[in-house]
Amino acid sequence: MAEPALPDIDPGPAGLAVSLRGVTKVYDSGVTALGPLDLDVQRGEFVSLLGPSGCGKSTALRLIAGLSAPTSGTVGVSHRAGDERGRRSIGFVFQEPTLMPWARVRENVRLPLKLARDPVAEADARVSEALAQVGLAEFAGAFPRELSGGMKMRVSLARALVTDPDLLLMDEPFAALDEITRFRLNNDLLALWRSLRKTVIFVTHSVFESVYLSQRVIVMTSRPGRIGAEFRIDAPEPRGEDFRTSPRYASQCRQVSNALAPSYAGRPGA
């Protein structure tokens, strides 16, 4: 089955990377998962989608990636998010690393380039670069079973980066990791973003993670997911532990948490 085509958008003077207009998603079961949703994301922006389980965060990400089609509305991705061969350059990091257990790290990272039939020498160079970017250059010959959970997620991130995408979509990639590993990966992701200036849309359940990472936090309502609130995160760059322990961070987390609270009201276990 062919993937649904995403319309290009003219980035124009505003420099839009993604534009959603009146987007809804109704599944075959009759469940309305999303919308109507309107959202613009600027090129080079780091945006987090925050909300309760089932509010449509991951659905929105899949629509932007072109892995699913909206029931109504339009999903536009800038034509700049594509390479010279017309392939849309979107990297996707899923909740689980989804690595091939029989393949070494380098082959797991090489997979998108192999599927695209890129020249071997070019692919080798790009795999080496991506592994260096995530701090795993010395583990290129390892198997997934030899890696920790955090290292496996780094491999997944390298696989998303190896095509040099303009747009990086991340669906709760650090949710299953311990707190120390999660903090370290948050810091490393921010360093990569500052260096590479990709457009990042990051899905999370964590108020603290969203405020620490993002330039903008989109708080979504319970199903069907809509934008309930939006926060511009005012923080000095580069961010680090000084920000994480600052009164400003605590205040912004409190504001975001207060906006999120109505989405959990009346939910089982709330």
Side-chain angles (χ1 to χ4, degrees):
M1 180 178 176
E3 293 182 358
L6 290 181
D8 284 330
I9 57 174
D10 182 354
L16 285 180
V18 175
S19 181
L20 280 63
R21 289 289 178 269
V23 169
T24 68
K25 181 64 178 181
V26 181
Y27 287 106
D28 292 341
S29 63
V31 172
T32 302
L34 191 68
L37 181 66
D38 295 303
L39 175 66
D40 287 337
V41 178
Q42 304 293 317
R43 288 201 307 270
E45 190 176 18
F46 197 125
V47 173
S48 283
L49 303 182
L50 174 70
S53 296
C55 75
K57 305 183 301 296
S58 296
T59 297
L61 222 58
R62 291 178 63 83
L63 293 176
I64 293 168
L67 299 176
S68 180
T71 303
S72 63
T74 59
V75 178
V77 177
S78 167
H79 63 262
R80 293 175 186 264
D83 67 12
E84 67 279 359
R85 281 170 280 189
R87 297 179 308 193
R88 194 171 303 280
S89 184
I90 298 176
F92 204 123
V93 182
F94 295 91
Q95 295 177 16
E96 299 293 334
T98 61
L99 303 179
M100 300 178 293
W102 61 85
R104 298 181 188 274
V105 164
R106 69 169 67 89
E107 295 307 319
N108 272 283
V109 174
R110 186 195 305 271
L111 182 60
L113 304 179
K114 183 177 181 180
L115 293 175
R117 299 181 179 178
D118 283 12
V120 172
E122 178 184 334
D124 285 344
R126 289 165 72 177
V127 168
S128 296
E129 181 182 18
L131 286 172
Q133 287 170 339
V134 301
L136 286 182
E138 62 185 293
F139 292 93
F143 287 100
R145 64 177 178 272
E146 300 172 314
L147 305 179
S148 67
M151 293 169 74
K152 290 177 184 177
M153 192 51 69
R154 288 177 187 272
V155 177
S156 183
L157 178 57
R159 185 173 57 194
L161 291 173
V162 77
T163 59
D164 191 24
D166 290 330
L167 177 60
L168 185 61
L169 306 177
M170 307 187 73
D171 190 2
E172 296 187 73
F174 309 143
L177 302 176
D178 65 84
E179 189 174 38
I180 293 174
T181 301
R182 189 169 185 164
F183 282 2
R184 185 177 298 124
L185 282 168
N186 283 169
N187 288 338
D188 290 348
L189 177 59
L190 276 181
L192 271 173
W193 173 72
R194 283 192 296 267
S195 171
L196 302 176
R197 283 299 170 180
K198 306 295 184 186
T199 304
V200 179
I201 304 178
F202 188 95
V203 164
T204 181
H205 280 100
S206 170
V207 169
F208 305 104
E209 185 171 58
S210 68
V211 172
Y212 185 68
L213 290 174
S214 311
Q215 293 181 297
R216 190 160 49 110
V217 175
I218 306 297
V219 178
M220 296 184 65
T221 67
S222 54
R223 190 173 61 231
R226 300 178 176 88
I227 295 178
E230 182 176 328
F231 294 88
R232 177 70 59 179
I233 304 303
D234 177 26
E237 289 288 351
R239 300 180 193 181
E241 294 310 308
D242 287 346
F243 175 56
R244 202 194 294 273
T245 57
S246 69
R248 177 185 293 181
Y249 175 69
S251 174
Q252 291 181 317
C253 286
R254 186 161 50 249
Q255 292 176 48
V256 173
S257 183
N258 288 341
L260 183 63
S263 296
Y264 285 95
R267 290 170 63 91

